[in-house]
Amino acid sequence: MRHWLDLEGASGRIDLAACGGLLHAVRTGEPGYDQVFGRPFWDDLADDQVLTDTFNDQMAAVQGKLAPAAAGAYPWDTLGHIADIGGGTGALLAEILKVAPAARGTVVDLPGTVEGGAARFEAAGLSGRTELIGQSFFDELPAGADMYVLSQILHDWDDEESVAILGRCAEAAGETGRVMIVERVIAEDEGKQLNTEYDLRMLVFNKGRERTVEEFAALAARAGLKLRGVTGLPSYHSLLEWERA
Protein backbone atom coordinates (compact mmCIF):
# COMPACT_ATOMS: atom_id res chain seq x y z
CA MET A 1 0.00 0.00 0.00
CA ARG A 2 3.03 2.29 0.17
CA HIS A 3 2.47 3.89 -3.23
CA TRP A 4 -1.07 4.88 -2.14
CA LEU A 5 0.10 6.48 1.11
CA ASP A 6 3.35 8.23 0.13
CA LEU A 7 2.56 11.95 -0.12
CA GLU A 8 5.67 12.50 -2.25
CA GLY A 9 4.43 10.09 -4.91
CA ALA A 10 1.88 10.65 -7.66
CA SER A 11 -1.04 9.31 -5.63
CA GLY A 12 -0.08 11.45 -2.65
CA ARG A 13 0.01 14.57 -4.77
CA ILE A 14 -3.49 13.80 -6.02
CA ASP A 15 -4.59 13.44 -2.39
CA LEU A 16 -2.99 16.80 -1.54
CA ALA A 17 -4.75 18.34 -4.54
CA ALA A 18 -8.05 16.96 -3.26
CA CYS A 19 -7.44 18.56 0.12
CA GLY A 20 -6.43 21.96 -1.26
CA GLY A 21 -8.22 22.10 -4.59
CA LEU A 22 -11.59 20.44 -4.05
CA LEU A 23 -13.50 23.66 -3.42
CA HIS A 24 -12.03 25.23 -6.56
CA ALA A 25 -12.92 22.12 -8.61
CA VAL A 26 -16.52 21.99 -7.36
CA ARG A 27 -17.05 25.72 -7.87
CA THR A 28 -15.50 25.94 -11.34
CA GLY A 29 -15.54 22.44 -12.82
CA GLU A 30 -11.81 22.80 -13.47
CA PRO A 31 -9.06 20.55 -12.05
CA GLY A 32 -8.01 21.29 -8.49
CA TYR A 33 -4.57 19.82 -9.13
CA ASP A 34 -3.62 22.72 -11.40
CA GLN A 35 -4.78 25.17 -8.75
CA VAL A 36 -2.65 23.57 -6.01
CA PHE A 37 0.51 22.73 -7.94
CA GLY A 38 0.44 25.39 -10.66
CA ARG A 39 0.27 23.07 -13.66
CA PRO A 40 -1.57 19.96 -14.89
CA PHE A 41 -0.87 16.53 -13.43
CA TRP A 42 0.48 15.10 -16.70
CA ASP A 43 2.98 17.96 -17.02
CA ASP A 44 4.22 17.15 -13.52
CA LEU A 45 4.76 13.52 -14.51
CA ALA A 46 6.50 14.44 -17.76
CA ASP A 47 9.13 16.47 -15.87
CA ASP A 48 9.69 14.09 -12.95
CA GLN A 49 10.65 10.46 -13.53
CA VAL A 50 10.14 9.63 -9.84
CA LEU A 51 6.52 10.77 -10.05
CA THR A 52 6.13 8.82 -13.29
CA ASP A 53 7.50 5.66 -11.68
CA THR A 54 5.23 5.96 -8.63
CA PHE A 55 2.22 6.52 -10.88
CA ASN A 56 3.13 3.48 -12.98
CA ASP A 57 3.49 1.37 -9.83
CA GLN A 58 0.08 2.54 -8.64
CA MET A 59 -1.60 1.78 -11.96
CA ALA A 60 0.07 -1.65 -12.15
CA ALA A 61 -1.28 -2.42 -8.66
CA VAL A 62 -4.79 -1.42 -9.75
CA GLN A 63 -4.56 -3.53 -12.90
CA GLY A 64 -3.04 -6.37 -10.89
CA LYS A 65 -6.35 -6.72 -9.05
CA LEU A 66 -8.60 -6.03 -12.03
CA ALA A 67 -6.66 -7.84 -14.76
CA PRO A 68 -7.35 -11.48 -13.77
CA ALA A 69 -11.10 -10.81 -13.67
CA ALA A 70 -11.00 -8.98 -17.02
CA ALA A 71 -8.89 -11.73 -18.60
CA GLY A 72 -11.29 -14.42 -17.43
CA ALA A 73 -14.51 -12.68 -18.44
CA TYR A 74 -14.09 -12.50 -22.23
CA PRO A 75 -13.02 -14.94 -24.99
CA TRP A 76 -9.73 -13.17 -25.73
CA ASP A 77 -8.44 -16.36 -27.34
CA THR A 78 -10.71 -15.68 -30.33
CA LEU A 79 -8.59 -12.62 -31.19
CA GLY A 80 -5.31 -12.54 -33.08
CA HIS A 81 -4.01 -9.09 -32.09
CA ILE A 82 -4.89 -7.07 -28.98
CA ALA A 83 -3.74 -3.47 -28.47
CA ASP A 84 -3.81 -2.05 -24.93
CA ILE A 85 -4.04 1.72 -25.35
CA GLY A 86 -2.71 3.66 -22.39
CA GLY A 87 -1.70 0.25 -21.05
CA GLY A 88 1.11 1.45 -18.79
CA THR A 89 3.66 -1.29 -18.15
CA GLY A 90 1.43 -4.02 -19.57
CA ALA A 91 -0.12 -5.58 -16.44
CA LEU A 92 -3.51 -6.12 -18.09
CA LEU A 93 -2.17 -7.25 -21.45
CA ALA A 94 0.10 -9.81 -19.79
CA GLU A 95 -2.90 -11.43 -18.10
CA ILE A 96 -4.91 -11.41 -21.32
CA LEU A 97 -2.12 -13.02 -23.33
CA LYS A 98 -1.86 -15.82 -20.77
CA VAL A 99 -5.43 -16.89 -21.63
CA ALA A 100 -4.95 -16.20 -25.36
CA PRO A 101 -1.79 -18.17 -26.16
CA ALA A 102 -2.06 -17.68 -29.92
CA ALA A 103 -2.58 -13.91 -29.77
CA ARG A 104 -0.02 -11.16 -29.94
CA GLY A 105 -0.26 -7.87 -28.10
CA THR A 106 0.76 -4.23 -28.33
CA VAL A 107 1.01 -1.71 -25.50
CA VAL A 108 0.75 1.96 -26.39
CA ASP A 109 1.67 4.54 -23.75
CA LEU A 110 4.01 7.48 -23.27
CA PRO A 111 7.73 6.73 -23.74
CA GLY A 112 8.58 7.24 -20.06
CA THR A 113 6.01 4.62 -19.12
CA VAL A 114 5.75 1.93 -21.76
CA GLU A 115 9.41 0.84 -21.55
CA GLY A 116 8.65 -0.57 -18.11
CA GLY A 117 6.66 -3.32 -19.81
CA ALA A 118 9.75 -4.95 -21.31
CA ALA A 119 10.83 -6.57 -18.05
CA ARG A 120 7.27 -7.68 -17.26
CA PHE A 121 6.80 -9.41 -20.62
CA GLU A 122 10.25 -10.99 -20.51
CA ALA A 123 9.61 -12.40 -17.03
CA ALA A 124 6.27 -13.81 -18.22
CA GLY A 125 7.80 -15.34 -21.34
CA LEU A 126 5.77 -13.03 -23.58
CA SER A 127 8.49 -10.95 -25.23
CA GLY A 128 8.10 -12.77 -28.52
CA ARG A 129 4.40 -11.93 -28.72
CA THR A 130 4.45 -8.30 -27.57
CA GLU A 131 5.35 -4.88 -28.92
CA LEU A 132 5.83 -1.64 -26.99
CA ILE A 133 5.03 1.68 -28.68
CA GLY A 134 5.83 4.96 -26.95
CA GLN A 135 3.37 7.67 -28.00
CA SER A 136 0.30 9.61 -26.92
CA PHE A 137 -3.12 8.06 -27.45
CA PHE A 138 -4.27 11.43 -28.79
CA ASP A 139 -2.08 10.80 -31.84
CA GLU A 140 -2.77 8.35 -34.68
CA LEU A 141 -2.66 4.81 -33.30
CA PRO A 142 -1.17 1.71 -34.97
CA ALA A 143 -3.89 0.21 -37.14
CA GLY A 144 -5.09 -3.33 -37.69
CA ALA A 145 -5.54 -4.87 -34.23
CA ASP A 146 -8.64 -6.94 -33.62
CA MET A 147 -9.33 -5.24 -30.27
CA TYR A 148 -8.32 -1.87 -28.82
CA VAL A 149 -8.52 -1.91 -25.03
CA LEU A 150 -8.95 1.22 -22.90
CA SER A 151 -8.69 0.16 -19.26
CA GLN A 152 -9.24 2.84 -16.61
CA ILE A 153 -8.47 5.56 -19.14
CA LEU A 154 -11.63 7.50 -19.97
CA HIS A 155 -12.54 8.35 -16.37
CA ASP A 156 -9.36 10.45 -16.29
CA TRP A 157 -10.67 12.77 -19.01
CA ASP A 158 -13.57 15.08 -19.76
CA ASP A 159 -16.11 14.32 -22.49
CA GLU A 160 -14.33 16.08 -25.36
CA GLU A 161 -10.99 14.41 -24.71
CA SER A 162 -12.69 11.04 -24.16
CA VAL A 163 -14.35 11.31 -27.56
CA ALA A 164 -10.97 12.14 -29.11
CA ILE A 165 -9.39 9.02 -27.53
CA LEU A 166 -12.28 6.82 -28.65
CA GLY A 167 -12.08 8.34 -32.10
CA ARG A 168 -8.42 7.36 -32.42
CA CYS A 169 -9.28 3.81 -31.38
CA ALA A 170 -12.20 3.61 -33.82
CA GLU A 171 -10.03 4.98 -36.61
CA ALA A 172 -7.30 2.39 -35.97
CA ALA A 173 -9.81 -0.47 -35.57
CA GLY A 174 -11.35 0.19 -38.97
CA GLU A 175 -14.48 -1.59 -40.14
CA THR A 176 -13.79 -4.97 -38.54
CA GLY A 177 -11.89 -4.17 -35.33
CA ARG A 178 -13.51 -3.51 -31.97
CA VAL A 179 -12.93 -1.35 -28.88
CA MET A 180 -13.13 -2.57 -25.28
CA ILE A 181 -13.61 -0.13 -22.41
CA VAL A 182 -12.76 -1.45 -18.94
CA GLU A 183 -14.10 1.02 -16.38
CA ARG A 184 -15.92 1.49 -13.12
CA VAL A 185 -19.54 1.90 -14.25
CA ILE A 186 -22.25 3.75 -12.35
CA ALA A 187 -25.31 1.48 -12.44
CA GLU A 188 -28.06 3.18 -10.46
CA ASP A 189 -30.75 0.95 -11.95
CA GLU A 190 -29.16 -2.01 -10.10
CA GLY A 191 -29.32 -0.23 -6.76
CA LYS A 192 -25.66 0.76 -6.70
CA GLN A 193 -24.95 4.21 -5.36
CA LEU A 194 -22.95 6.82 -7.18
CA ASN A 195 -19.38 6.61 -5.91
CA THR A 196 -19.02 10.28 -5.07
CA GLU A 197 -15.47 9.97 -3.81
CA TYR A 198 -14.15 8.58 -7.10
CA ASP A 199 -16.16 11.08 -9.12
CA LEU A 200 -14.72 14.01 -7.15
CA ARG A 201 -11.20 12.59 -7.29
CA MET A 202 -11.39 12.42 -11.08
CA LEU A 203 -12.66 15.99 -11.24
CA VAL A 204 -9.87 17.29 -8.99
CA PHE A 205 -7.24 15.22 -10.75
CA ASN A 206 -7.87 16.05 -14.40
CA LYS A 207 -11.48 17.17 -14.95
CA GLY A 208 -12.48 13.53 -15.37
CA ARG A 209 -15.57 11.71 -14.14
CA GLU A 210 -17.18 8.31 -13.57
CA ARG A 211 -19.98 7.43 -16.01
CA THR A 212 -23.02 5.25 -16.60
CA VAL A 213 -23.27 2.87 -19.56
CA GLU A 214 -25.58 5.39 -21.22
CA GLU A 215 -23.01 8.15 -20.81
CA PHE A 216 -20.29 5.95 -22.29
CA ALA A 217 -22.63 5.14 -25.17
CA ALA A 218 -23.20 8.83 -25.89
CA LEU A 219 -19.43 9.42 -26.08
CA ALA A 220 -18.87 6.33 -28.22
CA ALA A 221 -21.62 7.35 -30.66
CA ARG A 222 -19.77 10.60 -31.29
CA ALA A 223 -16.72 8.50 -32.18
CA GLY A 224 -18.73 6.34 -34.60
CA LEU A 225 -19.14 3.34 -32.29
CA LYS A 226 -22.13 1.37 -31.02
CA LEU A 227 -22.42 -0.93 -28.01
CA ARG A 228 -21.93 -4.63 -28.69
CA GLY A 229 -22.15 -6.00 -25.14
CA VAL A 230 -21.55 -5.42 -21.43
CA THR A 231 -19.95 -7.87 -18.99
CA GLY A 232 -19.94 -7.04 -15.30
CA LEU A 233 -16.78 -7.45 -13.20
CA PRO A 234 -16.17 -7.09 -9.45
CA SER A 235 -16.00 -3.68 -7.77
CA TYR A 236 -18.52 -2.03 -10.12
CA HIS A 237 -16.20 -2.46 -13.11
CA SER A 238 -17.44 -3.70 -16.48
CA LEU A 239 -16.19 -4.69 -19.90
CA LEU A 240 -17.99 -2.57 -22.50
CA GLU A 241 -17.43 -3.82 -26.05
CA TRP A 242 -17.96 -1.54 -29.06
CA GLU A 243 -18.01 -1.94 -32.82
CA ARG A 244 -18.27 0.40 -35.78
CA ALA A 245 -21.75 1.96 -35.97
Side-chain angles (χ1 to χ4, degrees):
M1 296 298 292
R2 186 180 188 281
H3 51 266
W4 293 99
L5 300 173
D6 182 4
L7 289 181
E8 295 181 350
S11 179
R13 285 173 79 84
I14 293 173
D15 285 343
L16 291 172
C19 291
L22 179 59
L23 185 60
H24 169 80
V26 171
R27 281 176 168 170
T28 67
E30 296 299 321
Y33 191 98
D34 306 36
Q35 178 79 3
V36 172
F37 292 107
R39 59 178 180 171
F41 176 79
W42 302 113
D43 290 354
D44 250 2
L45 258 62
D47 291 341
D48 190 327
Q49 189 60 44
V50 173
L51 282 181
T52 296
D53 290 343
T54 60
F55 183 71
N56 291 341
D57 288 345
Q58 179 187 347
M59 293 301 99
V62 171
Q63 295 292 6
K65 293 181 178 180
L66 180 60
Y74 184 83
W76 301 100
D77 58 350
T78 62
L79 304 173
H81 186 189
I82 301 154
D84 191 356
I85 308 303
T89 57
L92 174 60
L93 184 60
E95 289 295 325
I96 290 174
L97 292 180
K98 290 176 185 177
V99 301
R104 58 191 177 93
T106 300
V107 178
V108 177
D109 211 314
L110 296 175
T113 293
V114 73
E115 285 85 352
R120 180 188 303 280
F121 292 135
E122 183 175 359
L126 297 170
S127 297
R129 294 198 282 137
T130 53
E131 179 184 18
L132 305 173
I133 298 178
Q135 66 161 84
S136 168
F137 45 50
F138 289 108
D139 297 330
E140 184 177 351
L141 296 172
D146 299 305
M147 183 72 79
Y148 289 80
V149 180
L150 292 167
S151 180
Q152 303 264 85
I153 299 297
L154 298 185
H155 73 162
D156 289 345
W157 302 93
D158 68 14
D159 286 356
E160 294 305 315
E161 290 168 318
S162 294
V163 171
I165 296 167
L166 284 167
R168 285 301 191 186
C169 290
E171 176 183 78
E175 293 296 328
T176 59
R178 283 166 274 163
V179 177
M180 183 73 79
I181 296 174
V182 186
E183 286 278 2
R184 183 184 302 272
V185 174
I186 299 169
E188 295 170 310
D189 60 327
E190 297 178 9
K192 298 175 183 176
Q193 296 179 347
L194 173 66
N195 193 323
T196 305
E197 177 189 352
Y198 275 95
D199 213 26
L200 289 174
R201 278 180 178 273
M202 293 303 104
L203 173 63
V204 169
F205 160 59
N206 196 47
K207 203 177 176 180
R209 58 177 298 186
E210 306 294 343
R211 296 178 173 94
T212 64
V213 171
E214 291 75 18
E215 288 169 330
F216 279 118
L219 298 180
R222 292 171 59 188
L225 298 168
K226 64 180 180 181
L227 187 62
R228 181 183 174 95
V230 179
T231 303
L233 300 176
S235 303
Y236 303 138
H237 289 83
S238 293
L239 302 178
L240 292 85
E241 186 181 4
W242 311 85
E243 62 186 1
R244 182 62 64 91

